Short mmCIF file of all heavy atoms in Angstrom, two decimals:
data_model
loop_
_atom_site.label_atom_id
_atom_site.label_comp_id
_atom_site.label_asym_id
_atom_site.label_seq_id
_atom_site.Cartn_x
_atom_site.Cartn_y
_atom_site.Cartn_z
N ASP A 6 118.66 93.46 104.11
CA ASP A 6 118.84 92.39 103.13
C ASP A 6 120.12 92.65 102.33
O ASP A 6 120.42 93.79 101.96
CB ASP A 6 117.62 92.36 102.21
CG ASP A 6 117.73 91.31 101.14
OD1 ASP A 6 117.53 90.13 101.46
OD2 ASP A 6 118.03 91.69 99.98
N SER A 7 120.88 91.59 102.06
CA SER A 7 122.16 91.75 101.37
C SER A 7 122.00 92.33 99.96
O SER A 7 122.82 93.13 99.51
CB SER A 7 122.91 90.41 101.30
OG SER A 7 122.14 89.47 100.58
N GLY A 8 120.94 91.95 99.25
CA GLY A 8 120.68 92.51 97.92
C GLY A 8 120.40 94.00 97.99
O GLY A 8 120.87 94.78 97.15
N LEU A 9 119.63 94.42 98.98
CA LEU A 9 119.32 95.83 99.16
C LEU A 9 120.58 96.60 99.54
O LEU A 9 120.84 97.69 99.02
CB LEU A 9 118.24 96.01 100.24
CG LEU A 9 117.85 97.44 100.60
CD1 LEU A 9 117.32 98.19 99.38
CD2 LEU A 9 116.84 97.45 101.72
N LEU A 10 121.39 96.03 100.40
CA LEU A 10 122.63 96.68 100.81
C LEU A 10 123.57 96.87 99.62
O LEU A 10 124.17 97.94 99.44
CB LEU A 10 123.30 95.88 101.91
CG LEU A 10 124.48 96.52 102.61
CD1 LEU A 10 124.09 97.85 103.24
CD2 LEU A 10 125.05 95.59 103.66
N THR A 11 123.67 95.86 98.79
CA THR A 11 124.51 95.95 97.59
C THR A 11 123.98 97.03 96.65
O THR A 11 124.75 97.83 96.10
CB THR A 11 124.57 94.59 96.86
OG1 THR A 11 125.07 93.61 97.77
CG2 THR A 11 125.45 94.65 95.63
N ALA A 12 122.65 97.08 96.46
CA ALA A 12 122.06 98.07 95.57
C ALA A 12 122.28 99.49 96.10
O ALA A 12 122.53 100.42 95.33
CB ALA A 12 120.56 97.80 95.41
N LEU A 13 122.21 99.66 97.43
CA LEU A 13 122.42 100.98 98.02
C LEU A 13 123.87 101.45 97.95
O LEU A 13 124.15 102.63 98.07
CB LEU A 13 121.93 100.99 99.47
CG LEU A 13 120.42 100.88 99.67
CD1 LEU A 13 120.08 100.74 101.14
CD2 LEU A 13 119.70 102.06 99.04
N GLN A 14 124.79 100.53 97.75
CA GLN A 14 126.20 100.88 97.63
C GLN A 14 126.62 101.15 96.19
O GLN A 14 127.77 101.49 95.93
CB GLN A 14 127.07 99.76 98.22
CG GLN A 14 126.91 99.63 99.72
CD GLN A 14 127.61 98.41 100.27
OE1 GLN A 14 127.95 97.47 99.53
NE2 GLN A 14 127.79 98.39 101.58
N GLY A 15 125.68 101.02 95.26
CA GLY A 15 125.98 101.25 93.85
C GLY A 15 126.21 102.73 93.53
O GLY A 15 125.95 103.62 94.35
N LEU A 16 126.67 102.99 92.33
CA LEU A 16 126.95 104.37 91.90
C LEU A 16 125.68 105.16 91.64
O LEU A 16 125.63 106.36 91.85
CB LEU A 16 127.82 104.35 90.64
CG LEU A 16 129.23 103.79 90.82
CD1 LEU A 16 129.95 103.73 89.48
CD2 LEU A 16 130.01 104.63 91.82
N SER A 17 124.66 104.49 91.14
CA SER A 17 123.39 105.15 90.85
C SER A 17 122.27 104.37 91.54
O SER A 17 122.09 103.18 91.27
CB SER A 17 123.16 105.18 89.34
OG SER A 17 121.90 105.71 89.07
N ILE A 18 121.55 105.03 92.44
CA ILE A 18 120.46 104.36 93.15
C ILE A 18 119.16 105.12 92.96
O ILE A 18 119.17 106.33 92.68
CB ILE A 18 120.76 104.18 94.66
CG1 ILE A 18 120.86 105.54 95.36
CG2 ILE A 18 122.02 103.38 94.88
CD1 ILE A 18 120.88 105.44 96.87
N GLU A 19 118.06 104.41 93.08
CA GLU A 19 116.73 105.01 93.00
C GLU A 19 115.96 104.65 94.27
O GLU A 19 115.23 103.67 94.31
CB GLU A 19 115.99 104.50 91.77
CG GLU A 19 116.67 104.89 90.46
CD GLU A 19 115.91 104.37 89.26
OE1 GLU A 19 114.86 104.96 88.94
OE2 GLU A 19 116.36 103.37 88.68
N PRO A 20 116.13 105.46 95.33
CA PRO A 20 115.48 105.14 96.60
C PRO A 20 113.99 105.49 96.59
O PRO A 20 113.55 106.34 95.81
CB PRO A 20 116.23 106.00 97.61
CG PRO A 20 116.70 107.16 96.81
CD PRO A 20 116.97 106.64 95.43
N TYR A 21 113.23 104.85 97.46
CA TYR A 21 111.81 105.15 97.62
C TYR A 21 111.40 104.85 99.05
O TYR A 21 112.08 104.14 99.79
CB TYR A 21 110.95 104.38 96.62
CG TYR A 21 110.94 102.89 96.85
CD1 TYR A 21 110.03 102.31 97.74
CD2 TYR A 21 111.82 102.05 96.19
CE1 TYR A 21 110.02 100.94 97.96
CE2 TYR A 21 111.82 100.69 96.40
CZ TYR A 21 110.92 100.14 97.29
OH TYR A 21 110.91 98.80 97.50
N PHE A 22 110.26 105.38 99.44
CA PHE A 22 109.62 105.06 100.71
C PHE A 22 108.32 104.34 100.43
O PHE A 22 107.67 104.57 99.41
CB PHE A 22 109.31 106.33 101.51
CG PHE A 22 110.53 107.03 102.04
CD1 PHE A 22 111.03 108.15 101.41
CD2 PHE A 22 111.18 106.55 103.17
CE1 PHE A 22 112.15 108.80 101.89
CE2 PHE A 22 112.30 107.19 103.66
CZ PHE A 22 112.79 108.31 103.02
#
Side-chain angles (χ1 to χ4, degrees):
D6 178 77
S7 61
L9 177 60
L10 190 58
T11 302
L13 291 174
Q14 293 171 343
L16 294 175
S17 175
I18 65 169
E19 297 180 76
Y21 67 87
F22 290 102

